[in-house]
Amino acid sequence: MLRIAFGREDLGRLRVAPDADPLWELVLSLHLLQNRQSAVVFDPWRREVRAGLVRAGLMKTTAALVRLSPWAAYFPDFLTPSRGDRSLEEGISTVLSTPRRQLSAELSEVYAQAPAPSAVRLLAEGDVTALERLGHALRSYYAVAVEPYLPAVRGAVADDRAVRSAAALHGGAEALVSSYGPALRREGSTLVADYPVARDMPLHGRPLTLVPSFFCVVAPVALADDALDPVLVHPLGPAPGWLARTKVRGAAPPPVAQLIGPTRALVLDALEQPRSTGQLAERLRLTASTASRHATVLREAGLVASERQGNSVLHRRTALGDALMDGRL
């Protein structure tokens, strides 16, 4: 259990990252390759990525990264210096600029119970060549294991931001925090999160940043060093079959686009699960009025049902809409 003393002042300083962080996605995806967590959701991705790493000749590179960041109770903070506000290259530049003292301390912690491999010792000493190899390894692995799946990552982040934005708009910061339940919840003046070990995270007046992550599973993750800016990375929880759906979307527009138009086909496709007008707009990068107009046309055609929930309207596909998208008409 992770406990964060969280007063009203801290509530006002709470920050939600604008996007998934490339390096957190890289490291957490690397951990997923080392375990079988969320097998139903991620095993198809595991099989595809392992095959891709073999084809690219990156198995040794991946093994070297695993030696730096094993799936364990502790993994080094220097590999995840960002908070969803930097590009991959900016993040890698920060990694390669890590002070030697931090490299040595964190890698010594990784290998507290066993001798470190020679390559890890060189990196801990700040060896320039070792750092250059690390940068190359990070870029190469990311290109195979993360980059091809960014459409799914961005779609999940857009859905998550729509939920958080709606909560904050309707109920302020308190409602925003409540929207993360039950994984993150308020208990009096304390934020409590499911966590593999018992731990307290002091804020000391610093803002807490919540970072969404596609490859984070089971429970949120935090930096190990309390002296670093507080970050809590939380799972986005993609549904089983996400990889197959992403491939279908990426291959070509839905066939029904020839009948109802490409944008309405995308709206109907996005309503494989119920979404509000705002969620549709953010996911498809439409204005709210445009998303509402397309949903209205689809509703009048009997393909979508809509109902008001508080200040928003929730849309869902009807059985007729499902049949049309499945090609059963």
Side-chain angles (χ1 to χ4, degrees), residues 95-316:
V95 169
L96 302 187
S97 301
T98 304
R100 178 177 171 180
R101 178 179 297 178
Q102 183 182 354
L103 287 172
S104 178
E106 293 185 2
L107 291 173
S108 294
E109 180 69 19
V110 173
Y111 284 91
Q113 305 299 323
S118 59
V120 174
R121 292 199 301 272
L122 285 172
L123 188 62
E125 294 167 1
D127 180 81
V128 174
T129 301
L131 285 166
E132 289 175 349
R133 287 175 180 162
L134 173 60
H136 177 72
L138 293 171
R139 294 183 186 94
S140 300
Y141 172 82
Y142 184 89
V144 174
V146 179
E147 189 171 26
Y149 309 100
L150 288 180
V153 174
R154 289 168 179 154
V157 170
D159 288 347
D160 185 74
R161 282 190 67 80
V163 170
R164 310 309 168 198
S165 298
L169 180 64
H170 297 148
E174 288 281 5
L176 172 61
V177 172
S178 297
S179 73
Y180 287 92
L184 181 66
R185 53 200 179 274
R186 287 291 294 272
E187 292 184 359
S189 60
T190 303
L191 272 184
V192 178
D194 297 328
Y195 209 68
V197 297
R199 178 183 169 190
D200 292 324
M201 179 193 291
L203 296 182
H204 299 310
R206 300 168 298 173
L208 173 66
T209 302
L210 300 175
V211 181
S213 172
F214 191 82
F215 293 107
C216 179
V217 300
V218 181
V221 183
L223 293 168
D225 187 350
D226 287 334
L228 299 173
D229 289 338
V231 171
L232 191 63
V233 179
H234 65 89
L236 286 172
W242 67 268
L243 182 57
R245 289 192 297 273
T246 301
K247 288 181 178 298
V248 169
R249 289 195 195 101
V256 73
Q258 298 180 34
L259 177 64
I260 62 176
T263 303
R264 286 174 194 155
L266 290 173
V267 170
L268 198 57
D269 185 44
L271 290 177
E272 63 182 0
Q273 63 184 38
R275 301 183 196 276
S276 68
T277 302
Q279 289 170 334
L280 278 175
E282 184 159 356
R283 182 177 181 85
L284 301 178
R285 303 192 179 190
L286 304 172
T287 64
S289 60
T290 299
S292 177
R293 184 170 66 252
H294 286 303
T296 297
V297 172
L298 293 170
R299 183 173 64 251
E300 291 173 347
L303 302 174
V304 166
S306 306
E307 61 177 320
R308 179 164 293 281
Q309 292 190 352
N311 294 324
S312 63
V313 176
L314 193 69
H315 310 284
R316 57 171 52 86

Side-chain angles (χ1 to χ4, degrees), residues 54-74:
V54 170
R55 286 194 303 271
L58 292 174
M59 293 305 290
K60 288 185 178 179
T61 296
T62 303
L65 291 175
V66 167
R67 287 192 289 271
L68 292 179
S69 185
W71 179 56
Y74 175 85

